[in-house]
Amino acid sequence: MRVHGGRLEALLRRVGRLPGESLARALERAIEVGQLAHLEQLETRILRDGTLATVYLGFARPGTELTGDWRVVGTRTPPEERELVGAAQARLRAKLSYTNLGFALAPEVFTISELRELYVAALGHDVSATNLQRVLLRRGALERVDGHRAPGRTGGRPAALFRFASQRLEVTDEFAALRPPR
Amino acid sequence: MRVHGGRLEALLRRVGRLPGESLARALERAIEVGQLAHLEQLETRILRDGTLATVYLGFARPGTELTGDWRVVGTRTPPEERELVGAAQARLRAKLSYTNLGFALAPEVFTISELRELYVAALGHDVSATNLQRVLLRRGALERVDGHRAPGRTGGRPAALFRFASQRLEVTDEFAALRPPR
DNA sequence: ACAGGTTTTCGTCCCATAGTCTAAAACCTC
DNA sequence: GAGGTTTTAGACTATGGGACGAAAACCTGT
């Protein structure tokens, strides 16, 4: 998945097992990370045609060129695959809230406003730039980067630049509920 | 997994694919729910011997008789399997906090003190009965049941009885972080 | 019967985190 | 320099959960 043109976009790609190929080799080929910023396994199920399918969810940052025969999920995507995409979206939305998964959607360096637009696209609802910055900074997920981005045509204060402190998935919240006593 | 004798206990069972058996049939046989209160898929990986393994995590409530050749995870469990069990425990602990997964560990009806002991065993740290009750009640996960449990030998106020409102996994918390604005 | 101990239950206070709102800062164009 | 725009910072509020203590309801022993 990626955020493209202000919208969350799902891309699908099927990788089959070649005749005579070992399972391990086929799996390696299937999950070839390449330009994906993050990859995780979803579920394994048996498709209607009887084949065993292991589904992976990956994220591409804006600007990365995707090699391979990807196709964008649209209205003509079969229901079975749309269902998988729905599960992937739900997973993404949940993890955005309590992990640093944003790094997989964002470019190397960005302003808070740009990050906010990514979150809006991914979550499907409005997000306050103020809160986003405060929450992510307090968790230590974001770091300041030297320099500012020049304002656009219409003016405005130059935006500070940030980056994600870690490029690997990290759960930032141990869930307040039922936390161990001090 | 189950809570047995005040401790969280992991049980393992391997189900292979029989010669000539279809994939779908083997899967059905493997995940035969039987007496399990809840079952979810974990990951699929290729084991060292080259076979493809799909790992499931299930929960048995206290008192249920388990049929099948289960074995308790102990010090002699091979490292590869212990690793899987560790992941399963982490998942359990996380989900106990933000879902109603407790229903899968608890009997049909219970007192708050009994539920607290289950949580202590599963989480590995102390839990306040007061807060546990308040949190689960506010979420609507628990319901009062008529009647009280008679005090034990040493006396004490009779404990009220509760049950889980739903017997299916429900995420009770939309994660405070980045919640949509009102 | 009553004193003392036990367990459960309820209420209050406190703290941490996140949402809301407003103002200030820093830039643009006209 | 006036007015508009975007970003940034601060104060206030709401919510959810942890800590603590007291009351309720029961037991046993004298």
Side-chain angles (χ1 to χ4, degrees):
Chain A
M1 313 197 80
R2 67 177 177 189
V3 173
H4 194 69
R7 287 172 27 85
L8 185 64
E9 196 175 78
L11 299 156
L12 277 180
R13 182 178 156 217
R14 292 184 81 129
V15 179
R17 182 174 167 200
L18 300 177
E21 192 182 32
S22 79
L23 262 178
R25 182 72 192 88
L27 198 63
E28 277 178 26
R29 203 161 48 76
I31 69 177
E32 195 178 9
V33 186
Q35 321 81 359
L36 298 183
H38 176 70
L39 187 77
E40 61 187 73
Q41 200 182 94
L42 285 182
E43 64 170 319
T44 294
R45 59 160 72 179
I46 294 177
L47 300 184
R48 268 194 262 286
D49 60 10
T51 62
L52 190 69
T54 297
V55 185
Y56 289 85
L57 168 63
F59 297 93
R61 325 173 96 161
T64 51
E65 290 282 327
L66 285 179
T67 63
D69 47 345
W70 295 91
R71 62 180 200 281
V72 178
V73 172
T75 50
R76 279 191 312 227
T77 306
E80 189 169 31
E81 292 180 350
R82 292 183 69 96
E83 185 186 334
L84 289 175
V85 170
Q89 280 189 15
R91 181 108 154 214
L92 165 61
R93 279 194 266 265
K95 285 204 170 180
L96 271 185
S97 294
Y98 66 97
T99 69
N100 65 341
L101 188 54
F103 81 85
L105 292 174
E108 189 71 32
V109 161
F110 46 84
T111 70
I112 295 295
S113 297
E114 291 162 1
L115 187 65
R116 172 185 166 277
E117 287 171 28
L118 290 178
Y119 272 70
V120 168
L123 293 175
H125 64 73
D126 198 21
V127 170
S128 152
T130 298
N131 289 333
L132 184 63
Q133 171 174 7
R134 188 159 40 80
V135 168
L136 292 182
L137 274 179
R138 175 162 45 200
R139 288 181 184 170
L142 289 191
E143 286 177 348
R144 264 304 314 265
V145 173
D146 283 344
H148 293 268
R149 177 144 306 170
R153 283 257 174 287
T154 78
R157 176 171 172 168
L161 296 177
F162 293 85
R163 70 173 168 212
F164 276 93
S166 167
Q167 299 291 342
R168 285 207 317 266
L169 184 66
E170 284 172 9
V171 176
T172 53
D173 192 46
E174 277 302 312
F175 299 116
L178 310 177
R179 160 199 312 149
R182 281 168 296 181
Chain B
M1 313 197 78
R2 66 176 178 190
V3 172
H4 193 70
R7 288 173 26 86
L8 184 65
E9 196 175 78
L11 299 156
L12 278 179
R13 182 179 157 218
R14 293 184 81 130
V15 178
R17 182 173 168 201
L18 301 176
E21 191 181 32
S22 79
L23 262 178
R25 181 73 191 89
L27 198 62
E28 275 177 28
R29 203 162 46 78
I31 68 177
E32 195 177 10
V33 185
Q35 321 81 0
L36 298 182
H38 176 71
L39 186 77
E40 60 187 75
Q41 200 183 92
L42 285 183
E43 64 169 318
T44 295
R45 59 159 72 179
I46 294 178
L47 300 183
R48 269 194 262 285
D49 60 10
T51 62
L52 191 68
T54 298
V55 185
Y56 290 85
L57 168 63
F59 297 92
R61 324 173 97 161
T64 53
E65 290 282 327
L66 285 178
T67 63
D69 48 345
W70 295 90
R71 62 180 201 281
V72 178
V73 172
T75 49
R76 277 191 314 226
T77 306
E80 191 169 30
E81 293 180 350
R82 294 183 68 97
E83 184 187 333
L84 289 175
V85 170
Q89 281 190 15
R91 181 107 155 215
L92 165 61
R93 277 193 269 265
K95 286 205 169 179
L96 272 184
S97 294
Y98 67 97
T99 71
N100 64 342
L101 188 53
F103 80 87
L105 292 174
E108 190 71 30
V109 161
F110 47 84
T111 70
I112 295 295
S113 297
E114 292 162 1
L115 188 63
R116 173 186 166 276
E117 287 171 29
L118 290 178
Y119 272 70
V120 168
L123 293 175
H125 64 74
D126 199 20
V127 170
S128 153
T130 297
N131 292 332
L132 183 64
Q133 172 174 7
R134 188 159 43 82
V135 168
L136 291 181
L137 274 180
R138 176 158 48 196
R139 288 180 184 171
L142 289 190
E143 286 177 348
R144 264 304 314 265
V145 172
D146 283 343
H148 292 268
R149 178 143 305 172
R153 283 258 174 284
T154 76
R157 176 171 174 169
L161 297 177
F162 294 85
R163 71 173 164 210
F164 276 93
S166 167
Q167 299 289 342
R168 284 208 317 266
L169 183 66
E170 285 171 9
V171 176
T172 52
D173 193 46
E174 277 302 311
F175 300 117
L178 309 178
R179 158 199 315 148
R182 283 169 296 179

